[in-house]
Amino acid sequence: MNNALSISGLTKTYADFTLDGVSFDVPVGSIVGLIGENGAGKSTTINAVLGLIQKEAGHVSLLGKDTLDNETKEQIGVVFDGSNYPEILSPRKIDRIMKNVYDSWDESSYFRLLEQFSLPPDKPIKQFSKGMKMKLAITAALSHHSKLLILDEATSGLDPVIRDDILDMLLDFVQEEDHSILVSSHITGDLEKIADYIVFIHEGKVVFSKPKDELMEQYGLIKCGAAQFDALDPSDIIAYRKMDYEWQVLVSDRDAMQRKYPKALIVPTTIDEIMLLYVKGTTQKQTTQKGK
């Protein structure tokens, strides 16, 4: 099994939105970050993968299986944004429930993680902060010997210290070679720290699925004036936009572009800037008449 999760041609149609043939993989032993603006289709994709909504077309394989049977469910940990459990419960009561839900529930591991993350076992969840609730949800997801974690905006709304703690939890999890993670987030800086691959979804379609290192080390941003912009070869341009005092142009190989345009200012870019250029900029297909 090379992929913990494989998605091919996933399609779901609503009155005002279509998830349109989404395809990507989560290789075993990797962290894949799913990015996109609000409403792009990240949560719809995750809900379809988990069988929470009925897909219209496409194929999903989880941990090498085409059906989400009970054995496969045991090996998947799921964390959603917000409260994952009824707030009248305490972590100790959750333990009692989970022992009846998962054959693989590891009580000793659960309480060890509660202690590690300073989560009081007998305190009602309604008295927890948002960060504590998220740590609890991840603790529970890790305590039934999951091989695949799926997290939907798990770090949204958390302060930087708590987010960093959670990112450390995820990095620790994938130290086991057969563990894998799919994490959706609009906080691209978090994914720059931990992800091995980035999947960018926009308006229900996958724009790209690439290794994070390729995006960070090879992509670049040309910052130039109108004359330099007009001189650029359209085939070199992924996307561009005009700012108040300059043009910003996204390119896929900044070293090659620096050799081709030695007088141009070409700087490294971030995942956030790449996403913004794709969403708010003009794409390569529309550049043939640029500057005219």
Side-chain angles (χ1 to χ4, degrees), residues 87-89 123-128 133:
E87 300 212 334
I88 60 170
L89 298 178
K123 190 174 183 178
I125 296 173
K126 63 184 177 183
Q127 297 179 22
F128 282 18
K133 291 174 184 176

Side-chain angles (χ1 to χ4, degrees), residues 107-140:
E107 185 177 63
S108 61
S109 176
Y110 176 71
F111 280 101
R112 177 179 54 79
L113 288 170
L114 288 179
E115 182 177 2
Q116 180 180 335
F117 302 127
S118 302
L119 298 173
D122 296 306
K123 190 174 183 178
I125 296 173
K126 63 184 177 183
Q127 297 179 22
F128 282 18
S129 67
K130 184 170 184 179
M132 293 171 70
K133 291 174 184 176
M134 194 52 61
K135 285 184 176 182
L136 174 62
I138 295 175
T139 292

Side-chain angles (χ1 to χ4, degrees), residues 4 38 42 71 73 75 77 106 109 128 134 155 177 183 194-195 267:
N38 290 337
K42 303 188 300 296
E71 182 182 354
K73 289 179 182 178
Q75 299 178 77
D106 188 336
S109 176
F128 282 18
M134 194 52 61
T155 60
E177 291 184 356
V183 52
I194 66 168
V267 298

